mmCIF file of all heavy atoms in Angstrom:
data_model
loop_
_atom_site.group_PDB
_atom_site.id
_atom_site.type_symbol
_atom_site.label_atom_id
_atom_site.label_comp_id
_atom_site.label_asym_id
_atom_site.label_seq_id
_atom_site.Cartn_x
_atom_site.Cartn_y
_atom_site.Cartn_z
ATOM 1 N N ALA A 1 -222.588 16.800 31.476
ATOM 2 C CA ALA A 1 -222.003 17.611 30.407
ATOM 3 C C ALA A 1 -220.858 16.845 29.786
ATOM 4 O O ALA A 1 -220.259 16.004 30.428
ATOM 5 C CB ALA A 1 -221.503 18.940 30.976
ATOM 6 N N TRP A 2 -220.553 17.131 28.547
ATOM 7 C CA TRP A 2 -219.414 16.497 27.897
ATOM 8 C C TRP A 2 -218.830 17.447 26.882
ATOM 9 O O TRP A 2 -219.429 18.447 26.534
ATOM 10 C CB TRP A 2 -219.804 15.169 27.254
ATOM 11 C CG TRP A 2 -220.826 15.256 26.188
ATOM 12 C CD1 TRP A 2 -220.610 15.403 24.850
ATOM 13 C CD2 TRP A 2 -222.241 15.199 26.342
ATOM 14 N NE1 TRP A 2 -221.795 15.438 24.173
ATOM 15 C CE2 TRP A 2 -222.817 15.316 25.062
ATOM 16 C CE3 TRP A 2 -223.075 15.061 27.431
ATOM 17 C CZ2 TRP A 2 -224.174 15.296 24.854
ATOM 18 C CZ3 TRP A 2 -224.433 15.050 27.214
ATOM 19 C CH2 TRP A 2 -224.969 15.160 25.952
ATOM 20 N N SER A 3 -217.648 17.107 26.411
ATOM 21 C CA SER A 3 -217.003 17.985 25.440
ATOM 22 C C SER A 3 -216.958 17.314 24.087
ATOM 23 O O SER A 3 -216.935 16.103 23.977
ATOM 24 C CB SER A 3 -215.580 18.324 25.891
ATOM 25 O OG SER A 3 -214.766 17.187 25.756
ATOM 26 N N THR A 4 -216.966 18.129 23.073
ATOM 27 C CA THR A 4 -216.843 17.630 21.712
ATOM 28 C C THR A 4 -215.904 18.543 20.953
ATOM 29 O O THR A 4 -215.661 19.663 21.346
ATOM 30 C CB THR A 4 -218.200 17.618 20.981
ATOM 31 O OG1 THR A 4 -218.701 18.950 20.943
ATOM 32 C CG2 THR A 4 -219.188 16.693 21.654
ATOM 33 N N SER A 5 -215.387 18.041 19.893
ATOM 34 C CA SER A 5 -214.566 18.856 19.006
ATOM 35 C C SER A 5 -215.276 18.871 17.667
ATOM 36 O O SER A 5 -215.582 17.827 17.104
ATOM 37 C CB SER A 5 -213.180 18.260 18.879
ATOM 38 O OG SER A 5 -212.377 19.084 18.110
ATOM 39 N N HIS A 6 -215.593 20.024 17.147
ATOM 40 C CA HIS A 6 -216.338 20.146 15.904
ATOM 41 C C HIS A 6 -215.490 19.635 14.756
ATOM 42 O O HIS A 6 -214.406 20.145 14.503
ATOM 43 C CB HIS A 6 -216.719 21.605 15.686
ATOM 44 C CG HIS A 6 -217.812 21.769 14.689
ATOM 45 N ND1 HIS A 6 -217.602 21.616 13.348
ATOM 46 C CD2 HIS A 6 -219.130 22.038 14.846
ATOM 47 C CE1 HIS A 6 -218.738 21.803 12.702
ATOM 48 N NE2 HIS A 6 -219.684 22.065 13.596
ATOM 49 N N PRO A 7 -215.960 18.586 14.026
ATOM 50 C CA PRO A 7 -215.132 17.980 12.987
ATOM 51 C C PRO A 7 -214.901 18.872 11.766
ATOM 52 O O PRO A 7 -213.996 18.629 10.994
ATOM 53 C CB PRO A 7 -215.921 16.733 12.591
ATOM 54 C CG PRO A 7 -217.334 17.035 12.964
ATOM 55 C CD PRO A 7 -217.264 17.955 14.155
ATOM 56 N N HIS A 8 -215.712 19.905 11.569
ATOM 57 C CA HIS A 8 -215.561 20.732 10.383
ATOM 58 C C HIS A 8 -214.662 21.938 10.601
ATOM 59 O O HIS A 8 -214.391 22.681 9.682
ATOM 60 C CB HIS A 8 -216.940 21.185 9.895
ATOM 61 C CG HIS A 8 -217.852 20.042 9.628
ATOM 62 N ND1 HIS A 8 -217.620 19.108 8.637
ATOM 63 C CD2 HIS A 8 -218.984 19.635 10.247
ATOM 64 C CE1 HIS A 8 -218.570 18.203 8.643
ATOM 65 N NE2 HIS A 8 -219.411 18.489 9.613
ATOM 66 N N GLN A 9 -214.231 22.152 11.814
ATOM 67 C CA GLN A 9 -213.363 23.284 12.107
ATOM 68 C C GLN A 9 -212.103 22.793 12.803
ATOM 69 O O GLN A 9 -211.981 22.880 14.016
ATOM 70 C CB GLN A 9 -214.085 24.293 12.992
ATOM 71 C CG GLN A 9 -215.256 24.962 12.325
ATOM 72 C CD GLN A 9 -215.927 25.941 13.244
ATOM 73 O OE1 GLN A 9 -215.682 25.970 14.434
ATOM 74 N NE2 GLN A 9 -216.785 26.766 12.688
ATOM 75 N N PRO A 10 -211.152 22.236 12.044
ATOM 76 C CA PRO A 10 -209.927 21.780 12.691
ATOM 77 C C PRO A 10 -209.171 22.950 13.295
ATOM 78 O O PRO A 10 -209.196 24.059 12.759
ATOM 79 C CB PRO A 10 -209.139 21.135 11.558
ATOM 80 C CG PRO A 10 -209.671 21.775 10.320
ATOM 81 C CD PRO A 10 -211.114 22.105 10.600
ATOM 82 N N HIS A 11 -208.554 22.704 14.402
ATOM 83 C CA HIS A 11 -207.769 23.732 15.074
ATOM 84 C C HIS A 11 -206.308 23.483 14.729
ATOM 85 O O HIS A 11 -205.760 22.430 15.066
ATOM 86 C CB HIS A 11 -208.013 23.668 16.578
ATOM 87 C CG HIS A 11 -209.467 23.770 16.914
ATOM 88 N ND1 HIS A 11 -210.122 24.956 16.979
ATOM 89 C CD2 HIS A 11 -210.392 22.814 17.171
ATOM 90 C CE1 HIS A 11 -211.396 24.751 17.278
ATOM 91 N NE2 HIS A 11 -211.580 23.453 17.398
ATOM 92 N N VAL A 12 -205.687 24.418 14.062
ATOM 93 C CA VAL A 12 -204.322 24.232 13.578
ATOM 94 C C VAL A 12 -203.365 25.005 14.478
ATOM 95 O O VAL A 12 -203.605 26.167 14.796
ATOM 96 C CB VAL A 12 -204.198 24.708 12.116
ATOM 97 C CG1 VAL A 12 -202.786 24.508 11.602
ATOM 98 C CG2 VAL A 12 -205.187 23.965 11.236
ATOM 99 N N ALA A 13 -202.309 24.325 14.891
ATOM 100 C CA ALA A 13 -201.280 24.995 15.693
ATOM 101 C C ALA A 13 -200.668 26.095 14.841
ATOM 102 O O ALA A 13 -200.307 25.879 13.683
ATOM 103 C CB ALA A 13 -200.214 23.995 16.132
ATOM 104 N N TRP A 14 -200.554 27.281 15.409
ATOM 105 C CA TRP A 14 -200.108 28.455 14.679
ATOM 106 C C TRP A 14 -198.762 28.222 14.015
ATOM 107 O O TRP A 14 -197.810 27.757 14.638
ATOM 108 C CB TRP A 14 -200.031 29.647 15.633
ATOM 109 C CG TRP A 14 -199.745 30.918 14.929
ATOM 110 C CD1 TRP A 14 -200.627 31.691 14.237
ATOM 111 C CD2 TRP A 14 -198.493 31.566 14.825
ATOM 112 N NE1 TRP A 14 -200.010 32.786 13.712
ATOM 113 C CE2 TRP A 14 -198.686 32.741 14.057
ATOM 114 C CE3 TRP A 14 -197.226 31.291 15.298
ATOM 115 C CZ2 TRP A 14 -197.653 33.607 13.769
ATOM 116 C CZ3 TRP A 14 -196.196 32.158 14.999
ATOM 117 C CH2 TRP A 14 -196.424 33.304 14.236
ATOM 118 N N GLY A 15 -198.679 28.506 12.736
ATOM 119 C CA GLY A 15 -197.433 28.397 11.995
ATOM 120 C C GLY A 15 -197.041 26.978 11.645
ATOM 121 O O GLY A 15 -195.912 26.734 11.235
ATOM 122 N N THR A 16 -197.962 26.010 11.792
ATOM 123 C CA THR A 16 -197.648 24.619 11.491
ATOM 124 C C THR A 16 -198.768 24.007 10.676
ATOM 125 O O THR A 16 -199.790 24.640 10.406
ATOM 126 C CB THR A 16 -197.487 23.783 12.783
ATOM 127 O OG1 THR A 16 -198.782 23.592 13.360
ATOM 128 C CG2 THR A 16 -196.567 24.439 13.782
ATOM 129 N N SER A 17 -198.591 22.766 10.307
ATOM 130 C CA SER A 17 -199.650 22.013 9.630
ATOM 131 C C SER A 17 -200.231 20.968 10.576
ATOM 132 O O SER A 17 -200.750 19.946 10.138
ATOM 133 C CB SER A 17 -199.082 21.352 8.381
ATOM 134 O OG SER A 17 -198.009 20.498 8.745
ATOM 135 N N VAL A 18 -200.156 21.205 11.884
ATOM 136 C CA VAL A 18 -200.648 20.252 12.885
ATOM 137 C C VAL A 18 -202.069 20.631 13.280
ATOM 138 O O VAL A 18 -202.321 21.726 13.780
ATOM 139 C CB VAL A 18 -199.736 20.231 14.137
ATOM 140 C CG1 VAL A 18 -200.309 19.311 15.198
ATOM 141 C CG2 VAL A 18 -198.335 19.805 13.760
ATOM 142 N N LYS A 19 -203.003 19.711 13.058
ATOM 143 C CA LYS A 19 -204.383 19.897 13.487
ATOM 144 C C LYS A 19 -204.534 19.264 14.871
ATOM 145 O O LYS A 19 -204.049 18.160 15.106
ATOM 146 C CB LYS A 19 -205.354 19.253 12.503
ATOM 147 C CG LYS A 19 -205.366 19.939 11.161
ATOM 148 C CD LYS A 19 -206.352 19.272 10.221
ATOM 149 C CE LYS A 19 -206.308 19.934 8.859
ATOM 150 N NZ LYS A 19 -207.198 19.262 7.927
ATOM 151 N N ILE A 20 -205.221 19.965 15.755
ATOM 152 C CA ILE A 20 -205.381 19.501 17.132
ATOM 153 C C ILE A 20 -206.855 19.214 17.392
ATOM 154 O O ILE A 20 -207.718 20.015 17.059
ATOM 155 C CB ILE A 20 -204.874 20.551 18.140
ATOM 156 C CG1 ILE A 20 -203.424 20.914 17.830
ATOM 157 C CG2 ILE A 20 -205.017 20.046 19.566
ATOM 158 C CD1 ILE A 20 -202.914 22.109 18.602
ATOM 159 N N SER A 21 -207.122 18.072 17.977
ATOM 160 C CA SER A 21 -208.487 17.709 18.361
ATOM 161 C C SER A 21 -208.443 17.173 19.781
ATOM 162 O O SER A 21 -207.367 16.901 20.323
ATOM 163 C CB SER A 21 -209.046 16.636 17.404
ATOM 164 O OG SER A 21 -208.223 15.486 17.448
ATOM 165 N N GLY A 22 -209.593 17.027 20.384
ATOM 166 C CA GLY A 22 -209.602 16.507 21.744
ATOM 167 C C GLY A 22 -210.998 16.184 22.209
ATOM 168 O O GLY A 22 -211.989 16.616 21.612
ATOM 169 N N THR A 23 -211.060 15.411 23.257
ATOM 170 C CA THR A 23 -212.324 15.055 23.868
ATOM 171 C C THR A 23 -212.073 14.598 25.307
ATOM 172 O O THR A 23 -210.928 14.372 25.687
ATOM 173 C CB THR A 23 -213.034 13.937 23.077
ATOM 174 O OG1 THR A 23 -214.348 13.763 23.591
ATOM 175 C CG2 THR A 23 -212.286 12.628 23.137
ATOM 176 N N THR A 24 -213.131 14.507 26.063
ATOM 177 C CA THR A 24 -213.039 13.920 27.391
ATOM 178 C C THR A 24 -213.752 12.590 27.350
ATOM 179 O O THR A 24 -214.676 12.388 26.548
ATOM 180 C CB THR A 24 -213.682 14.818 28.471
ATOM 181 O OG1 THR A 24 -215.039 15.017 28.135
ATOM 182 C CG2 THR A 24 -212.977 16.155 28.566
ATOM 183 N N ARG A 25 -213.350 11.663 28.203
ATOM 184 C CA ARG A 25 -213.993 10.347 28.231
ATOM 185 C C ARG A 25 -214.940 10.196 29.402
ATOM 186 O O ARG A 25 -215.739 9.287 29.430
ATOM 187 C CB ARG A 25 -212.947 9.239 28.302
ATOM 188 C CG ARG A 25 -212.108 9.165 27.077
ATOM 189 C CD ARG A 25 -211.265 7.944 27.019
ATOM 190 N NE ARG A 25 -210.835 7.433 28.302
ATOM 191 C CZ ARG A 25 -209.945 6.491 28.443
ATOM 192 N NH1 ARG A 25 -209.395 5.972 27.401
ATOM 193 N NH2 ARG A 25 -209.591 6.080 29.636
#
């Protein structure tokens, strides 16, 4: 199994303009 972050749905930190992404190696 592996993790992915969907590129079309950025996750924005609430109340900021910071987009958060992540993955496992």
Side-chain angles (χ1 to χ4, degrees):
W2 61 91
S3 71
T4 60
S5 184
H6 197 286
H8 304 296
Q9 294 180 347
H11 305 278
V12 180
W14 187 79
T16 72
S17 58
V18 176
K19 293 181 183 177
I20 304 170
S21 60
T23 189
T24 59
R25 294 191 329 190

